[in-house]
Amino acid sequence: MAFQFINSIISWFLKKRKHQIELFLKYPKDVQEELLMKLLKTAKNTDFGKENNFSSIKNHADFIKNVPIQKYETFEPLIEKCRKGTQNIFWPSDIKWFAKSSGTTNAKSKFIPVSDDALEYCHMKAGKDMLCLYINNNPKTQLFTGKGLRLGGSSEVYKDNGSYFGDLSAIIIENMPFWADFSSAPSQEVALMSDWETKMDAIIDETIAEDITSLAGVPSWMLVLLNRVLERTGKANILEVWPNLEVYFHGGVNFNPYREQYKKIIPNKDFKYYEIYNASEGFFAIQDRNNSKELLLMLDYGIFYEFVPMSEYKGENSIAIPLSEVKKDIDYAIIITTNAGLWRYLIGDTVRFTSLEPYRIKITGRTKHFLNVFGEELNIENVEEALKLACEKTNAIILDYTVGPIFMEGKEKGGHEWLLEFKEKPNSIGYFTEVLDNALKSLNSDYEAKRYLNMTLMPPKVHAAKTGLFYNWLKSKNKLGGQHKVPRLSNSRDFLEELLAL
């Protein structure tokens, strides 16, 4: 009875936010324009604000003229200065938190500033909105009669020069309100453990007897955890362990390669999957409808958005447009200005608008993650869909993969080399390769043209990786858990060569 009461109270509280969401759905242009001016006014007396004449900016056109587009590399000197204790550089309030992020498996780490404003009005607010939207769509939910299993990064929060850095999920857990911590598992102590292997066992120890009603985390790592739960318990599926489990909130990587595996271990046709789109730089979008593959762009988190059509993308020399000028079915690079002091910052992601009333998006990839060595312009969306089709036709299941180029040498033509780790291998790698190749041709006309009569590209070369290859590779780099992921597409052979040598 007490749990039902708590469930009702928390659900009622979270539902109230829906009216504010409806405001930016109705007036998106006004909300974004007012937000930009508020950000500029707030930071006009910072070093960056003075240098870029914030006080003279009256509209978006002025903003573009005065403030250059930034990549991390160009903004890094200011961030490093802030990390060492100097304040009021790019945001007026003191910044003591920095989210350590490497994106893929690059050795160089990024330290993304996380202001108190960003923590409260972006990341924390988004966590509540995720629940708000789910509850409004599922009024009979029993989410808060049990606990939510959160699977964050394996980084601890480290103190350095008077500031703190760590995985974003660790920073959020450190700053969670008491009620969120009360309704979550595992405990904060376990959630912040640094050793991934030890942490996995500790999570299972703490949660296996709990009434878990929701899951939250990156699909690849959550799948590892859930399979270990099944190994530990000897159960056939996760619902035999947690019978009241009703939703999985996921983000960080494309869910399509994992969808069928989740359906097998959570065999309930009414089970809900809710996708979120967040990063160290901010929280951007949330799935706002049941059984949808579109995400609602959240416009009141202290983030002003600009977009660059990928057909015109030139990095920091790109010409950006505001949200009000975007069109459907075009791939855009995202530029953000945030309440943590990131100004016209290229986050490296690409999206496509599926709706303009309201603004809904699909994540289509990364500005750097594509294959275009021979003019084939193969993006991650093409690759994921082709792999899905190949798996369906050959009854295969893929755990992880990476793709790189085979460069032309002498009279030898170029091609693509694939390294795939299968959970269930196809009967014939040759037939799988043929299906994959044909699927890519049907999805991408540039690839099809380069493959015509093997004129530029030879057929794909596909290897079946040994079991655990990618996991062990990430482990060797201390990259287990959190947002760490295998680089899918690369225009160099660096990752591929390293993996093939193992």
Side-chain angles (χ1 to χ4, degrees):
M1 190 69 180
F3 287 116
Q4 288 290 349
F5 178 72
I6 292 169
N7 185 70
S8 299
I9 291 295
I10 296 177
S11 296
W12 174 83
F13 174 75
L14 289 168
K15 278 183 179 181
K16 293 176 67 177
R17 162 67 175 152
K18 190 69 165 59
H19 300 297
Q20 294 172 305
I21 293 173
E22 286 167 355
L23 183 66
F24 75 68
L25 293 179
K26 191 173 182 179
Y27 305 107
K29 182 179 178 182
D30 294 340
V31 169
Q32 278 282 283
E33 286 178 352
E34 288 175 14
L35 174 60
L36 174 60
M37 301 315 296
K38 181 181 178 181
L39 291 170
L40 290 165
K41 183 180 179 181
T42 302
K44 67 180 181 180
N45 292 320
T46 62
D47 295 346
F48 192 85
K50 291 175 182 177
E51 183 181 339
N52 292 280
N53 305 308
F54 280 13
S55 59
S56 69
I57 297 174
K58 305 300 181 187
N59 50 44
H60 183 246
D62 290 345
F63 186 52
I64 290 175
K65 290 176 186 175
N66 282 272
V67 184
I69 292 173
Q70 314 276 336
K71 288 185 178 179
Y72 181 80
E73 290 74 15
T74 55
F75 210 63
E76 182 182 24
L78 299 183
I79 292 174
E80 284 303 299
K81 190 176 178 182
C82 185
R83 282 187 67 213
K84 291 175 181 176
T86 305
Q87 298 293 343
N88 202 44
I89 299 172
F90 42 78
W91 193 247
S93 62
D94 288 358
I95 296 177
K96 64 178 180 179
W97 297 100
F98 293 85
K100 186 178 179 182
S101 169
S102 58
T104 54
T105 54
N106 297 335
K108 182 180 174 62
S109 293
K110 297 178 181 179
F111 293 90
I112 305 300
V114 182
S115 66
D116 289 342
D117 289 327
L119 261 177
E120 183 175 355
Y121 300 114
C122 182
H123 295 290
M124 296 298 187
K125 187 176 180 180
K128 288 182 279 189
D129 282 356
M130 176 184 78
L131 297 173
C132 166
L133 291 166
Y134 177 77
I135 290 166
N136 273 277
N137 290 330
N138 302 278
K140 295 182 179 179
T141 177
Q142 297 296 300
L143 207 59
F144 298 104
T145 59
K147 291 190 174 184
L149 193 162
R150 59 191 179 192
L151 183 61
S154 56
S155 298
E156 292 184 65
V157 174
Y158 302 95
K159 187 175 181 180
D160 183 40
N161 297 316
S163 63
Y164 298 81
F165 68 90
D167 188 277
L168 176 66
S169 59
I171 293 172
I172 290 173
I173 290 169
E174 282 272 352
N175 290 276
M176 265 188 170
F178 76 93
W179 64 266
D181 197 43
F182 172 76
S183 62
S184 301
S187 63
Q188 186 175 115
E189 181 184 358
V190 169
L192 293 175
M193 289 176 71
S194 58
D195 182 79
W196 179 253
E197 298 285 356
T198 305
K199 176 178 175 175
M200 294 283 271
D201 288 334
I203 290 174
I204 295 171
D205 289 340
E206 279 202 5
T207 61
I208 209 164
E210 291 277 8
D211 181 14
I212 301 296
T213 54
S214 68
L215 306 172
V218 177
S220 51
W221 300 117
M222 183 62 76
L223 192 61
V224 172
L225 175 66
L226 296 182
N227 280 320
R228 290 197 182 184
V229 168
L230 294 179
E231 288 174 14
R232 173 82 73 87
T233 61
K235 301 294 186 183
N237 64 68
I238 289 298
L239 296 178
E240 292 183 6
V241 183
W242 298 313
N244 296 317
L245 189 65
E246 61 176 85
V247 60
Y248 173 31
F249 300 102
H250 63 86
V253 298
N254 189 321
F255 190 57
N256 284 338
Y258 306 98
R259 194 176 299 276
E260 293 305 314
Q261 296 178 66
Y262 274 91
K263 285 182 180 179
K264 285 186 177 181
I265 64 173
I266 308 176
N268 178 358
K269 62 181 179 61
D270 296 323
F271 187 79
K272 303 293 191 300
Y273 296 92
Y274 263 62
E275 185 173 2
I276 60 174
Y277 174 25
N278 67 326
S280 298
E281 295 86 353
F283 205 120
F284 311 124
I286 304 171
Q287 180 183 326
D288 65 319
R289 298 175 296 176
N290 288 338
N291 305 314
S292 174
K293 293 184 180 179
E294 302 170 299
L295 308 180
L296 179 68
L297 192 65
M298 307 302 286
L299 304 181
D300 65 348
Y301 287 174
I303 300 174
F304 178 77
Y305 293 98
E306 297 175 275
F307 301 89
V308 178
M310 281 306 291
S311 58
E312 303 169 20
Y313 181 75
K314 298 176 183 177
E316 292 165 291
N317 297 314
S318 301
I319 297 174
I321 59 174
L323 178 65
S324 58
E325 295 179 21
V326 299
K327 298 177 181 178
K328 287 171 60 176
D329 302 324
I330 293 174
D331 283 353
Y332 291 101
I334 306 177
I335 297 172
I336 59 171
T337 291
T338 79
N339 52 4
L342 296 176
W343 298 96
R344 306 200 75 207
Y345 181 88
L346 273 165
I347 60 174
D349 291 342
T350 61
V351 300
R352 182 180 305 153
F353 285 87
T354 57
S355 166
L356 303 181
E357 294 182 1
Y359 288 101
R360 290 195 178 98
I361 61 172
K362 281 187 176 182
I363 305 162
T364 55
R366 300 277 297 170
T367 54
K368 292 182 179 180
H369 291 187
F370 60 93
L371 261 173
N372 194 30
V373 175
F374 311 101
E376 65 274 45
E377 297 189 17
L378 206 60
N379 63 37
I380 192 71
E381 189 178 33
N382 300 148
V383 168
E384 299 280 11
E385 183 62 25
L387 285 172
K388 178 185 172 186
L389 292 170
C391 285
E392 286 174 354
K393 284 200 172 184
T394 63
N395 296 316
I397 296 177
I398 293 171
L399 291 173
D400 251 319
Y401 72 91
T402 192
V403 192
I406 300 171
F407 293 108
M408 297 179 178
E409 289 187 20
K411 295 182 180 180
E412 293 295 320
K413 294 172 183 172
H416 296 157
E417 193 162 7
W418 298 66
L419 186 57
L420 306 173
E421 183 178 344
F422 293 97
K423 182 178 181 182
E424 294 182 17
K425 289 184 180 179
N427 290 330
S428 167
I429 290 292
Y431 179 59
F432 180 93
T433 304
E434 181 184 336
V435 175
L436 175 65
D437 188 31
N438 289 333
L440 289 170
K441 289 176 186 176
S442 69
L443 293 164
N444 186 306
S445 58
D446 291 306
Y447 178 86
E448 182 182 34
K450 301 301 180 293
R451 282 283 295 113
Y452 180 69
L453 297 177
N454 297 336
M455 289 178 65
T456 304
L457 288 177
M458 294 299 288
K461 186 176 182 181
V462 176
H463 305 278
K466 59 187 176 184
T467 302
L469 174 67
F470 291 98
Y471 184 92
N472 291 329
W473 181 61
L474 288 170
K475 184 177 180 179
S476 71
K477 295 176 175 294
N478 197 28
K479 299 284 187 181
L480 290 178
Q483 296 290 326
H484 299 304
K485 60 201 76 145
V486 173
R488 300 304 197 195
L489 307 179
S490 176
N491 287 301
S492 80
R493 289 184 58 84
D494 294 347
F495 297 121
L496 192 62
E497 293 285 5
E498 194 172 335
L499 284 157
L500 288 170
L502 293 176

